[in-house]
Amino acid sequence: MASVPSLASTLQQQLADALTAALPDAGAADPLLRRSDRADFQANGILALAKKLKGNPRELASQVTAALPAGGLIKDIEVSGPGFLNVTLTDRAIVETLAARAADGDGRLGVPLKDDAGTTVVDYAQPNVAKEMHVGHLRSAVIGDAVVKILEFTGERVVRRHHIGDWGTQFGMLIQYLIEHPGALKHEGGASDGEAAMSTLNRVYKESRVLFDSDEEFKARSRDRVVALQAGDAETLELWHRFVDESKIYFHSVFDKLDMVIDDPDIVGESGYNDMLEETCRILEETGVAVRSEGALCVFFDDVKGPDGNKVPLIVKKTNGGYGYAATDLSAIRNRVRDLKADTLVYVVDARQSLHFKMVFETARRAGWLNEDVKAVQLAFGTVLGKDGKPFKTREGETVRLEDLLDEAVTRATAVVRDKADKVGLSEDEIVENGRYVGIGAVKYADLSTSAVRDYKFDLDQMVALHGDTSVYLQYAYARIQSILRKAGDAVPAAHPELELAPAERALGLHLDQFGEVLAEVGAGYEPHKLAAYLYQLASHLTTFYDQCQVLSPDNAPEVVENRLFLVELTARTLHQGMALLGIRTPERL
């Protein structure tokens, strides 16, 4: 793999070397380099250094400038204000660096793998067995999928985990109903698609709930069935598996609509840790991390108190001997650290569960399962709101079904694609396919372009708009480049470092070169919204470039056409790769 140093990293190194050469007594000095409106980059580190050495910052800046190598990377450098360095790069350096990126045979655009790659378990997309997925399940799935893709691209070994709700007292009711109504899970007409599976599960859940609430004897039998399930009774487990398998048919149909791959081996629900629960509780009690309080096994924290001022515990084992969610979550941590050899655990979970995970992580630290070498992070996300700024509900005040929301997005997007279809000659099949890619992309991008912890408004009209910060704008930018490349005829993309670049070409080129640095930052902080922002800025630079620099104009010299084709082709490849990491498709024609 051909890793290509960015222009910023090369300049950073040259400035650091010049600082050391000019000021041997300064030790390792950081030039504090950043992008600038006044030049390509500005270095601010000399001010702090001058203060430390009790020198004149402008004089120090001049010494550093004199120590920099001539030619090659730097076109112009000026000392500004009280010792800032404004640096302009040569056009040749920009084009040569981009050419090296384009030539990377691994398709990574010269983006290096990180040096300290480890193993990260990402816990995301956590639906519940025998229950319909709703709008609240959207963010965990979409954010988690993007984080997984980005981490893998940076070189991290990622283990996916889908901690589905597949255990608990409600299964006693469902299984008992199935024993007494053996044909309840059969589909009418023998169909086994996701819609049929969920329809059947919904019917069984409602019918069993009515019986549970109205028949005390059935309620007692259901509670006995929970005991049989937890004890591992063979018949009970077999029927429980039928509910899980039926739910997976439904889950996979929804994830297919979301254009996401969820593999069965990665689905390890609450039940997957049953065999560890008693041992987890025993270890916590024996080590003194957990203590008995009013018959329950609890962990207490000095900074977690209720309204009455008393400490609120994390309940690991209930007074009646049942296990709390904490026992399962702590067992999952033990499994992921001990068996999966993870050094980072990322939980993509609703912000409203932040206190629970804070307590779970602190308990795991006290037990030694998390430490300096193994960390756990909750990637907390906010709520999906309606246009009115309130939690997204139907007109009847019910939670919005995820499938309905996705279907509506695809319907709206297909209408947008159809409006433009005649101009590019799309077939009906292409309109349908692109409508799906645009609709699902719009939903994902609206989610991912917002900082995860913030709430965001679900507004389909805005999401499928052709202008503004939307995925459709980015998809059209990509498709427009493909159209130009098809029209190019005999002209082929080729870098010409000898050419002088127009301002819009330079701005586009410098932004393209930042792709790897952005991905490193996004992966380190689990912040997909920063990648979305980078891609939107890239498309915006491309729009300015189109306005100011015609690509296929007959007035252009052949080398100018080739160089501009090279720039737009690399832009397309960067857009395609960046969007793919967000889980969004880029149609060739739109």
Side-chain angles (χ1 to χ4, degrees):
M1 188 203 85
S3 173
V4 180
S6 69
L7 292 160
S9 65
T10 304
L11 178 59
Q12 170 94 5
Q13 189 58 56
Q14 287 194 10
L15 286 168
D17 291 346
L19 276 166
T20 304
L23 308 162
D25 299 335
D30 185 350
L32 297 178
L33 192 68
R34 62 178 181 83
R35 289 298 306 275
S36 170
D37 294 334
R38 300 189 176 186
D40 294 335
F41 293 94
Q42 186 176 80
N44 300 333
I46 288 169
L47 281 173
L49 202 56
K51 200 170 183 181
K52 179 181 169 185
L53 298 176
K54 297 183 172 57
N56 181 308
R58 284 187 67 86
E59 286 179 13
L60 290 182
S62 298
Q63 288 177 265
V64 170
T65 302
L68 283 165
L73 179 65
I74 298 172
K75 176 184 179 182
D76 183 50
I77 186 164
E78 65 165 8
V79 180
S80 171
F84 300 130
L85 293 180
N86 290 328
V87 185
T88 302
L89 306 184
T90 63
D91 292 347
R92 174 176 288 277
I94 293 171
V95 176
E96 284 179 346
T97 299
L98 295 181
R101 294 200 178 288
D104 181 1
D106 289 338
R108 292 183 55 84
L109 303 173
V111 176
L113 296 169
K114 65 178 188 176
D115 296 329
D116 57 344
T119 297
T120 296
V121 174
V122 181
D123 188 326
Y124 68 108
Q126 309 110 344
N128 294 310
V129 166
K131 289 187 180 176
E132 214 155 11
M133 291 176 71
H134 54 78
V135 67
H137 291 108
L138 176 67
R139 300 206 73 185
S140 176
V142 170
I143 295 168
D145 189 54
V147 167
V148 164
K149 287 181 166 72
I150 292 162
L151 288 177
E152 286 182 333
F153 192 79
T154 64
E156 189 78 357
R157 175 179 170 261
V158 178
V159 181
R160 299 160 170 79
R161 277 293 174 266
H162 310 295
H163 190 87
I164 64 171
D166 65 352
W167 204 248
T169 53
Q170 76 273 22
F171 287 100
M173 177 185 80
L174 292 167
I175 294 166
Q176 189 60 36
Y177 184 85
L178 193 57
I179 288 171
E180 297 176 17
H181 302 80
L185 279 182
K186 286 184 180 173
H187 299 159
E188 293 177 15
S192 61
D193 62 7
E195 197 171 328
M198 195 63 243
S199 174
T200 302
L201 288 165
N202 264 339
R203 177 174 47 76
V204 171
Y205 188 87
K206 285 174 183 173
E207 290 172 2
S208 62
R209 171 55 71 180
V210 168
L211 204 55
F212 187 87
D213 290 341
S214 62
D215 185 333
E216 288 299 322
E217 290 183 1
F218 176 76
K219 184 182 285 188
R221 292 195 297 275
S222 296
R223 285 175 173 158
D224 289 343
R225 189 58 56 186
V226 174
V227 176
L229 176 64
Q230 291 175 340
D233 174 67
E235 180 197 14
T236 306
L237 282 174
E238 184 185 344
L239 295 173
W240 169 77
H241 272 296
R242 285 185 61 189
F243 280 103
V244 174
D245 292 343
E246 193 76 8
S247 295
K248 283 183 180 178
I249 294 170
Y250 165 68
F251 295 159
H252 286 305
S253 73
V254 178
F255 290 127
D256 281 347
K257 280 191 178 183
L258 264 174
D259 200 14
M260 278 174 53
V261 176
I262 301 287
D263 293 322
D264 264 6
D266 299 331
I267 300 175
V268 184
E270 294 167 355
S271 63
Y273 307 100
N274 282 343
D275 294 344
M276 299 176 67
L277 299 180
E278 187 53 45
E279 186 182 31
T280 297
C281 291
R282 181 180 56 75
I283 293 170
L284 291 173
E285 189 167 15
E286 286 179 357
T287 55
V289 173
V291 295
R292 294 280 169 183
S293 176
E294 298 178 22
L297 187 63
C298 303
V299 183
F300 288 91
F301 309 87
D302 290 337
D303 59 345
V304 182
K305 295 178 181 177
D308 57 3
N310 292 328
K311 292 179 183 178
V312 177
L314 181 71
I315 299 173
V316 185
K317 195 172 187 180
K318 302 172 188 174
T319 306
N320 65 3
Y323 299 101
Y325 286 122
T328 306
D329 289 332
L330 289 163
S331 297
I333 289 176
R334 287 178 58 216
N335 167 261
R336 293 165 183 184
V337 174
R338 182 188 67 190
D339 302 328
L340 301 180
K341 310 299 182 192
D343 38 54
T344 307
L345 309 177
V346 177
Y347 292 78
V348 188
V349 184
D350 192 314
R352 287 171 291 191
Q353 294 188 47
S354 293
L355 178 59
H356 170 77
F357 279 99
K358 175 187 172 185
M359 294 162 81
V360 166
F361 295 162
E362 176 57 27
T363 300
R365 273 189 286 273
R366 291 180 188 178
W369 304 326
L370 297 177
N371 49 50
E372 287 183 4
D373 300 320
V374 187
K375 67 173 181 174
V377 179
Q378 183 196 356
L379 178 43
F381 56 83
T383 305
V384 181
L385 306 175
K387 288 183 185 180
D388 59 2
K390 297 176 182 177
F392 200 18
K393 303 275 186 184
T394 65
R395 286 181 183 173
E396 294 73 34
E398 294 175 4
T399 303
V400 178
R401 294 171 69 236
L402 184 52
E403 280 192 291
D404 290 346
L405 181 147
L406 298 177
D407 290 344
E408 177 66 15
V410 170
T411 299
R412 297 275 191 97
T414 303
V416 171
V417 172
R418 195 178 295 282
D419 279 347
K420 299 267 186 180
D422 288 344
K423 288 184 181 177
V424 284
L426 294 182
S427 68
E428 182 60 27
D429 285 348
E430 286 176 309
I431 291 171
V432 171
E433 183 180 75
N434 288 354
R436 182 182 171 221
Y437 293 157
V438 170
I440 298 304
V443 171
K444 289 183 175 181
Y445 187 84
D447 192 317
L448 294 169
S449 58
T450 305
S451 173
V453 77
R454 289 177 55 196
D455 300 340
Y456 80 96
K457 289 183 182 179
F458 195 92
D459 183 346
L460 275 176
D461 292 328
Q462 191 176 329
M463 289 179 187
V464 298
L466 300 177
H467 304 289
D469 190 3
T470 67
S471 67
V472 196
Y473 176 62
L474 303 182
Q475 287 168 323
Y476 266 107
Y478 177 83
R480 189 176 181 184
I481 294 172
Q482 298 310 315
S483 175
I484 289 172
L485 294 173
R486 286 192 294 271
K487 291 174 184 171
D490 295 335
V492 293
H496 284 274
E498 74 281 3
L499 291 178
E500 186 176 330
L501 296 177
E505 290 175 304
R506 296 184 98 260
L508 180 61
L510 286 166
H511 194 74
L512 281 168
D513 187 55
Q514 289 179 277
F515 185 51
E517 291 174 345
V518 168
L519 284 179
E521 183 182 352
V522 167
Y526 315 113
E527 297 173 304
H529 70 280
K530 291 186 176 178
L531 174 56
Y534 169 84
L535 295 171
Y536 173 63
Q537 289 161 0
L538 180 59
S540 300
H541 279 301
L542 183 70
T543 300
T544 305
F545 167 82
Y546 283 142
D547 290 343
Q548 299 179 9
C549 307
Q550 266 199 295
V551 179
L552 299 177
S553 169
D555 298 333
N556 288 343
E559 60 271 22
V560 172
V561 172
E562 290 172 357
N563 199 58
R564 288 181 176 173
L565 284 172
F566 159 73
L567 281 172
V568 296
E569 184 187 53
L570 185 57
T571 301
R573 288 171 61 187
T574 306
L575 277 171
H576 174 78
Q577 181 63 74
M579 293 286 269
L581 292 176
L582 296 178
I584 300 173
R585 306 265 187 167
T586 43
E588 297 290 308
R589 301 197 311 153
L590 202 56

